[in-house]
Amino acid sequence: MGILGNTRWLYPQACDNRQNVKIYQVFRTLFDDHELITNVTRAGLMRPTKDVYFPSLGKTEDRQNWKTMSNWLHLDMNPLTGRTTTYGFEYTAESHFEPSDDPLSAQNKSTNNGMRVRKLQAILALVDCRQQDGGFHAVPGFQHYIATWTKSNHKLCLRSNQSSDPTTVQIPWDDPIREHIQCMPIRKGSLLVWDSRLPHGNYPNSSNQMRIIQYLHMAPIADEALRPFPLLKEDLPETFQLTELGEKLYGFKSWESDLAQHRFQEQKNPEILCQVNYERLERAIMKDRCDTKTKNRSPVVEPTD
């Protein structure tokens, strides 16, 4: 699918991108709200599949088996329940993978606000992502018809609620909206933002170049469904310099409003705190293994005359 695992990208540049002023200004403008938080999530990568040069072989070859799923199209929300993906944030209600007990009345909960509150997702292109390099596609304008579509796909949304990922709806292969899919190549350094009510996905790489992006979402602190992912400053890279803006986006400091300060004092979700501790331990183990390999590596002996 072009998603690089489930590991949070905590590299210095990735962390810095989340506090980038220009990216923040984009979301601030679209939300018409300056008190925002950022998610902490992963990256996307698609290997080249055509005319790939292999130095060990001294030639180029195609790798069709490296291609990702074709025509993957989904919603990162369930329009019947109103639940939207919280990945990379701290969720405040049901777990990301927990179905709603009463899906027909789920939207009555203030946290299931996906059909009432604007939700935005985005990718940041880390290299030029040409159309032939694979990548993002979507059905533009669908958010204006999602209510009608939901009525026609009531059973699909009910089944999705009972699936392993109840905040995602996979669009059927025979759905006529697929006729309106548009591929969206983007230049290096560009930010592509879409409404969470938009069906979207990735299509395969058919070139000899890598496609690499960073998933990067922001949300207003007023969104009751979300809180900043509860990292500690010690979880961030040593070489990363947190800015004043970054302190607030990452949730280390509160924004100024009474609402923001109230939310800053809210009790953290114990399930998420357990997840954070597990990931912290996992990173420590990986670092220890890397350090051990480095220490055990044989020194390079320079040839003498």
Side-chain angles (χ1 to χ4, degrees), residues 52-88:
V52 184
Y53 179 69
F54 293 89
S56 60
L57 301 177
K59 62 178 181 178
T60 61
E61 291 186 355
D62 292 347
R63 284 290 187 268
Q64 294 299 316
N65 59 318
W66 286 0
K67 285 195 172 185
T68 54
M69 182 189 302
S70 296
N71 299 317
W72 177 40
L73 194 68
H74 66 287
L75 285 163
D76 277 324
M77 68 168 298
N78 190 321
L80 180 65
T81 63
R83 291 177 59 190
T84 309
T85 179
T86 56
Y87 193 80

Side-chain angles (χ1 to χ4, degrees), residues 46-52 67 130-134 204-211:
M46 287 184 177
R47 293 183 290 183
T49 62
K50 186 176 178 61
D51 295 329
V52 184
K67 285 195 172 185
R130 305 169 302 167
Q131 184 160 335
Q132 62 266 41
D133 299 331
N205 188 329
S206 298
S207 78
N208 61 356
Q209 294 190 26
M210 194 85 74
R211 184 250 188 185

Side-chain angles (χ1 to χ4, degrees), residues 8 89-91 227-232 235 266-281:
R8 293 179 206 285
F89 294 101
E90 177 190 353
Y91 54 81
R227 282 192 293 260
F229 194 77
L231 293 174
L232 298 175
D235 294 320
E266 288 178 353
Q267 186 174 357
K268 303 297 182 186
N269 187 323
E271 291 183 7
I272 290 290
L273 291 178
C274 287
Q275 180 182 344
V276 171
N277 288 330
Y278 174 81
E279 292 179 5
R280 188 175 293 130
L281 177 62

